[in-house]
């Protein structure tokens, strides 16, 4: 059995044990693609998956605007409240960073990111979703502010 399968199987087991179902399903799909030698599909997903994933996630985040669950008044209040301003800044810093470039230029850090995500999901009941980084940063800063007050 090659190293790739061993690493993927370990990730599969750890994600299952850690209740990180996003990683569990992702590794399962990758294992299926690898077993059936669907290299062209793996290459396509590697090249385009991040962009399509961000589009799908952005659609899910914007649905409350389309359904009226978020109103103009709520948005205005958000931009004027301390928590809303902090969330805005967190979004700027999270999106303004070079995370995607870092992933493309340094694929060796992916294992650290996966394990870090698994720790966050398992021990802190987090969610393994990239764009929620801004919300996580906002929560972290708010939590720190409560400690110091």
């Amino acid at each position: 059995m090659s190293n790739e399968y061993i690493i993927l199987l370990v990730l599969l087991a750890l994600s299952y044990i850690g209740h990180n179902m996003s990683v569990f399903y992702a590794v399962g799909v990758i294992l299926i693609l690898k077993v059936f030698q669907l290299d062209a599909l793996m290459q396509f997903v590697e090249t385009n998956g991040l962009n399509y994933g961000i589009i799908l996630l952005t659609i899910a985040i914007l649905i409350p605007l389309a359904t009226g669950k978020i109103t103009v008044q709520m948005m205005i209040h958000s931009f004027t409240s301390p928590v809303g301003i902090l969330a805005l800044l967190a979004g700027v810093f999270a999106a303004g960073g070079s995370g995607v470039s870092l992933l493309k230029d340094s694929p060796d850090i992916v294992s650290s990111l996966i394990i870090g995500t698994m720790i966050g999901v398992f021990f802190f009941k987090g969610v393994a979703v990239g764009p929620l980084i801004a919300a996580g940063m906002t929560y972290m800063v708010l939590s720190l502010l409560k400690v110091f007050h």
Side-chain angles (χ1 to χ4, degrees):
M1 184 178 294
S2 69
N3 284 340
E4 295 91 9
Y5 284 104
I6 293 170
I7 292 167
L8 289 170
L9 289 171
V10 167
L11 282 174
L12 188 73
L14 288 174
S15 60
Y16 183 77
I17 291 167
H19 307 289
N20 189 337
M21 300 316 288
S22 298
V23 174
F24 179 79
Y25 295 135
V27 173
V29 168
I30 292 169
L31 278 169
I32 290 169
L33 294 175
K34 195 147 177 60
V35 166
F36 290 103
Q37 299 178 355
L38 299 172
D39 298 333
L41 184 54
M42 286 190 356
Q43 180 62 40
F44 176 81
V45 172
E46 181 180 11
T47 304
N48 302 296
L50 192 57
N51 291 330
Y52 291 137
I54 290 171
I55 291 168
L56 183 60
L57 185 60
T58 303
I59 291 168
I61 290 170
L62 292 175
I63 291 292
L65 290 171
T67 61
K69 291 180 184 174
I70 297 175
T71 63
V72 172
Q73 293 81 11
M74 292 168 76
M75 291 173 65
I76 291 170
H77 176 70
S78 171
F79 291 126
T80 59
S81 73
V83 174
I85 293 168
L86 182 59
L88 178 71
L89 292 173
V92 168
F93 290 125
S98 298
V100 174
S101 298
L102 180 64
L103 286 174
K104 289 180 180 176
D105 296 340
S106 304
D108 53 304
I109 66 162
V110 170
S111 57
S112 296
L113 291 171
I114 295 292
I115 298 301
T117 300
M118 293 169 108
I119 290 169
V121 169
F122 186 72
F123 290 109
F124 302 107
K125 299 186 186 336
V127 180
V129 180
L132 290 177
I133 292 170
M137 288 171 41
T138 303
Y139 178 81
M140 187 184 311
V141 171
L142 289 173
S143 296
L144 290 173
L145 290 175
K146 287 181 183 178
V147 170
F148 295 113
H149 283 171

